[in-house]
Amino acid sequence: MTIQRILCAFLCLPAAVLGSDRIDRLEPPSWWVGMRDPALQLMVHGPGIGEFTPHLDHPGVVLERVHRTSNPNYLFVDLQIAPDAAAGTVELAFEDADGTRIVRPYDLAERAPGSAERLGFSPRDVIYLITPDRFANGDPGNDRAEGMTEGPNRADPDGRHGGDLQGIIDRLDYFQSMGFTQIWLNPVLENNQPDTSYHGYAITDLYRVDPRYGDNALYQRLSAEARQRGIGLIQDVIPNHIGSEHWWMTDLPESDWINHGGRYVQTNHMREALHDPHGTEADRTGFQDGWFVPTMPDLNQRNPRMATYLTQNAIWWIEFAGLSGLRIDTYSYPDKAFLSDWTARIMAEYPNLNLVGEEWSLNPAIVAYWQRGARRHDDYRSSLPSLMDFPLQHALVQALTEPEAWDTGVRKLYWTLANDFHYADPNNLVVFGDNHDMSRIYTQLGENPARYRMAMAVLATTRGIPQIFYGTEVLMKNPGTTAHGVIRSDFPGGFAGDPVDAFSGRGLSPDRLEAQSFVRNLLNWRRNAPAIHAGELVHYAPGDGVYVYFRRHPDQTVMVALNKSDEPVPLATARFAAHIGAHRRGVEVPGGEVHELDGHLTLPPMTALILELQ
């Protein structure tokens, strides 16, 4: 073909093809008909796209408004999607003054049946928290991915180790056998940071699963296969910040997209400033507008387009992946008004979903402030159903490790639960012994197996939703260090060549096998225990290291007696007659031993005795 013919062929191409490279991002990448909120805002990014005017012609879809910013590489397009809008492909056309035309197809899908009514996680569940890079490597072929700056280095505690979504899919039977009914993964979205990217909290693309874990389709498959086994999937979301290598950072949509103009200013971490009647505005903004670290730019949710982007992103993942809930990182750090609107919008779309916020405070009043329905010191409105119960976590460790005195020991556990009057719904709090940001519970308890079993018994039987960190069931620990890379060590058996396999039990020491069996039996009993799921909690003031509480439901009564002493303790049952009622014996959980309740009950040393009353 001659040069003239080649040139003619190029010049005769449709304008839509000539302009097709003008759009490199269109987000959200898809949407659904039949959402409760008919509004949808598209972010369109590409060189000079702000000079273009969008058009569409699709039944039930109306283009309402176009927002242009100071950056000519962005358009924000507001659509209204009628309840009877037709599912299918919307042809989005963009034209400039010179007649250049770009056409991009946009998918409007049908929602899955029952999507809006989906049930979130609840006190019926036990959540298993996983750091995906450290759990199991199901596909070594994705350990190094094209375009990702950090490759695998399993020898480095802070490096990439190769765990992925396929490794989690391969272990779904393990979760089911252990009694875990929800899995919460530390963030799995792209973290294309130069180093220490394994933890997932510096996201560089909010619509893409990190290719070292798999892809979006594999994430969908994980959710679907887990659901077939009665296991829900909880996504870890971060509306507060992104990673410093996010694609926005080289071309910000607006000058106020990032707090402090994109310049690193450290947060003061003073969450108390939001509630302090004597506090200053400087301290409040210093908390909410400051950055965690230089590699985590702090987002300005007061920008209405940023707020809409983050809201739609959360809803997109819930709908796309069939999620059973969200765990919200650093909950109180974003703008307060944004959090009110964000939670309200999500819960309006999914009234039965559950969202749990991380407010790392040991003060129940501060934690309770954010829960839906709480009585507050101001007129703030929140639609957040659940929070992580950091006060109870701290009290549990103190209760089991401190010597007994009038103001120490198991009284700390009692006192903390007595503060439940602060909460609108204490039964919907997530209770835990440890997580990915603190020392492992076995380490916190001095590597004492008896204390460990007591802690697991309390978490499984107190009010709330238990969360267990991966490896807790096999006594993973971090002796002598609080380094996060060590706390988040590899799960034994998840990687080729591991000498110990905790999934099968091969190579586990007797104490680790015993711990795993204890947790398995306890959680599988809990799965069918209505008193634990929905029963009231009644507890008696402790003394001499003994703490007794009941879970009562019309179909079941459970008595838990905690003895922290190194000696057996005779317990007079008459004190508890009002809640023992007509029951004459208790069957021990797990184990099945029968204990008579007429007169005295002998509590074994260093034990939480769980009795199902009969």
Side-chain angles (χ1 to χ4, degrees):
M1 181 182 288
T2 66
I3 292 177
Q4 290 83 354
R5 288 184 178 179
I6 294 173
L7 182 60
C8 178
F10 175 76
L11 293 175
C12 292
L13 285 173
V17 177
L18 288 175
S20 62
D21 62 350
R22 301 295 290 269
I23 296 178
D24 52 39
R25 298 269 180 173
L26 180 56
E27 296 176 341
S30 61
W31 204 248
W32 294 266
V33 297
M35 303 298 283
R36 185 179 186 276
D37 189 337
L40 174 64
Q41 184 172 94
L42 302 178
M43 171 191 276
V44 189
H45 178 253
I49 194 64
E51 301 169 2
F52 284 68
T53 299
H55 305 277
L56 64 85
D57 183 9
H58 188 87
V61 181
V62 176
L63 195 161
E64 279 210 326
R65 187 178 176 189
V66 177
H67 305 266
R68 291 179 171 83
T69 72
S70 58
N71 187 337
N73 297 331
Y74 286 88
L75 278 178
F76 290 85
V77 182
D78 290 348
L79 305 181
Q80 284 283 319
I81 304 171
D84 59 350
T89 301
V90 178
E91 296 292 339
L92 294 172
F94 300 83
E95 288 190 37
D96 70 0
D98 296 330
T100 302
R101 192 167 185 268
I102 306 168
V103 176
R104 286 291 293 264
Y106 191 80
D107 185 38
L108 278 180
E110 295 278 3
R111 300 182 75 181
S115 176
E117 294 77 31
R118 74 185 63 207
L119 297 178
F121 57 90
S122 76
R124 294 179 177 274
D125 290 305
V126 178
I127 301 169
Y128 194 56
L129 166 59
I130 298 172
T131 302
D133 179 68
R134 305 303 172 85
F135 189 68
N137 190 347
D139 181 7
N142 64 22
D143 291 357
R144 190 179 299 277
E146 183 178 358
M148 297 293 106
T149 56
E150 187 177 18
N153 183 2
R154 198 177 172 201
D156 181 0
D158 294 322
R160 287 265 173 181
H161 291 191
D164 51 31
L165 296 180
Q166 187 59 55
I168 296 169
I169 291 171
D170 293 343
R171 271 68 183 192
L172 287 172
D173 288 344
Y174 173 76
F175 307 145
Q176 189 174 22
S177 71
M178 286 297 301
F180 302 122
T181 57
Q182 300 280 338
I183 49 177
W184 155 28
L185 309 183
N186 290 145
V188 297
L189 303 188
E190 181 193 279
N191 271 233
N192 197 10
Q193 299 285 119
D195 56 56
T196 320
S197 65
Y198 76 92
H199 54 69
Y201 289 96
I203 294 174
T204 54
D205 188 332
L206 286 156
Y207 280 102
R208 185 192 188 201
V209 167
D210 195 295
R212 290 162 292 194
Y213 292 142
D215 57 22
N216 289 14
L218 192 63
Y219 189 60
Q220 274 188 318
R221 182 183 153 209
L222 165 61
S223 180
E225 293 198 16
R227 193 159 52 250
Q228 290 173 4
R229 293 169 171 82
I231 299 171
L233 178 62
I234 301 168
Q235 187 177 72
D236 205 330
V237 300
I238 316 156
N240 181 65
H241 56 261
I242 53 172
S244 56
E245 301 303 311
H246 191 288
W247 63 270
W248 281 333
M249 297 306 293
T250 59
D251 195 23
L252 290 175
E254 301 182 63
S255 59
D256 65 347
W257 202 248
I258 304 295
N259 281 324
H260 294 289
R263 177 177 57 91
Y264 170 65
V265 176
Q266 175 72 46
T267 177
N268 61 26
H269 294 291
M270 289 294 178
R271 55 185 41 81
E272 294 81 5
L274 299 180
H275 314 283
D276 182 1
H278 316 294
T280 66
E281 186 61 29
D283 284 342
R284 286 189 285 272
T285 58
F287 169 62
Q288 292 195 310
D289 289 2
W291 298 26
F292 255 70
V293 292
T295 54
M296 294 179 180
D298 201 72
L299 302 175
N300 176 23
Q301 302 87 10
R302 291 180 295 275
N303 180 300
R305 284 160 292 283
M306 166 66 80
T308 298
Y309 184 98
L310 294 172
T311 303
Q312 291 180 164
N313 180 255
I315 291 172
W316 189 87
W317 281 109
I318 294 167
E319 194 74 22
F320 174 82
L323 302 177
S324 63
L326 303 177
R327 179 266 183 184
I328 304 107
D329 185 63
T330 57
Y331 184 78
S332 62
Y333 285 74
D335 179 71
K336 279 181 68 177
F338 161 79
L339 289 170
S340 180
D341 294 341
W342 187 78
T343 55
R345 172 83 188 275
I346 294 171
M347 295 308 297
E349 291 289 356
Y350 307 99
N352 302 314
L353 195 71
N354 210 348
L355 315 177
V356 56
E358 178 203 29
E359 173 63 307
W360 195 331
S361 172
L362 304 184
N363 184 343
I366 288 179
V367 177
Y369 175 88
W370 300 104
Q371 192 175 34
R372 177 177 62 190
R375 291 172 294 190
R376 280 176 274 272
H377 59 77
D378 57 18
D379 60 357
Y380 184 74
R381 299 187 69 177
S382 175
S383 298
L384 181 72
S386 177
L387 286 118
M388 308 298 300
D389 196 345
F390 283 93
L392 189 66
Q393 188 278 331
H394 185 65
L396 178 62
V397 173
Q398 289 182 314
L400 296 177
T401 57
E402 290 181 349
E404 290 299 312
W406 71 273
D407 61 348
T408 58
V410 292
R411 293 170 184 259
K412 296 282 185 73
L413 194 57
Y414 170 80
W415 288 338
T416 299
L417 287 164
N419 273 309
D420 274 1
F421 64 86
H422 287 288
Y423 299 106
D425 186 3
N427 291 322
N428 202 26
L429 300 175
V430 173
V431 299
F432 58 101
D434 58 7
N435 65 22
H436 58 291
D437 286 327
M438 61 175 63
S439 286
R440 293 213 168 240
I441 186 62
Y442 192 52
T443 295
Q444 292 186 59
L445 296 176
E447 297 184 17
N448 183 303
R451 290 176 184 164
Y452 164 85
R453 286 190 296 273
M454 285 192 282
M456 293 299 103
V458 170
L459 291 174
T461 57
T462 191
R463 55 90 176 125
I465 308 165
Q467 169 249 293
I468 294 177
F469 190 28
Y470 79 96
T472 291
E473 72 273 27
V474 291
L475 306 181
M476 284 181 65
K477 56 190 178 181
N478 55 292
T481 180
T482 57
H484 284 181
V486 176
I487 290 170
R488 306 161 189 165
S489 293
D490 297 345
F491 189 88
F495 299 80
D498 283 358
V500 174
D501 182 5
F503 298 112
S504 67
R506 174 181 55 83
L508 279 178
S509 61
D511 58 335
R512 300 181 83 180
L513 281 170
E514 181 183 357
Q516 187 181 47
S517 177
F518 178 81
V519 171
R520 180 189 295 115
N521 292 334
L522 182 60
L523 298 188
N524 277 293
W525 165 79
R526 188 188 190 279
R527 190 194 297 267
N528 299 301
I532 308 301
H533 303 162
E536 68 170 337
L537 170 66
V538 179
H539 65 173
Y540 286 77
D544 299 324
V546 174
Y547 173 49
V548 175
Y549 60 91
F550 291 80
R551 301 300 306 275
R552 304 201 328 152
H553 183 272
D555 297 330
Q556 184 187 45
T557 298
V558 174
M559 177 181 179
V560 182
L562 191 74
N563 174 23
K564 218 181 86 177
S565 169
D566 291 328
E567 302 293 332
V569 171
L571 186 70
T573 57
R575 183 188 178 200
F576 314 106
H579 295 98
I580 290 176
H583 298 104
R584 291 294 175 260
R585 63 188 60 83
V587 178
E588 187 173 344
V589 178
E593 182 180 347
V594 176
H595 297 259
E596 300 297 329
L597 301 175
D598 50 352
H600 285 83
L601 176 66
T602 300
L603 302 183
M606 293 290 287
T607 297
L609 184 65
I610 305 170
L611 299 177
E612 188 171 351
L613 303 191
Q614 295 181 349

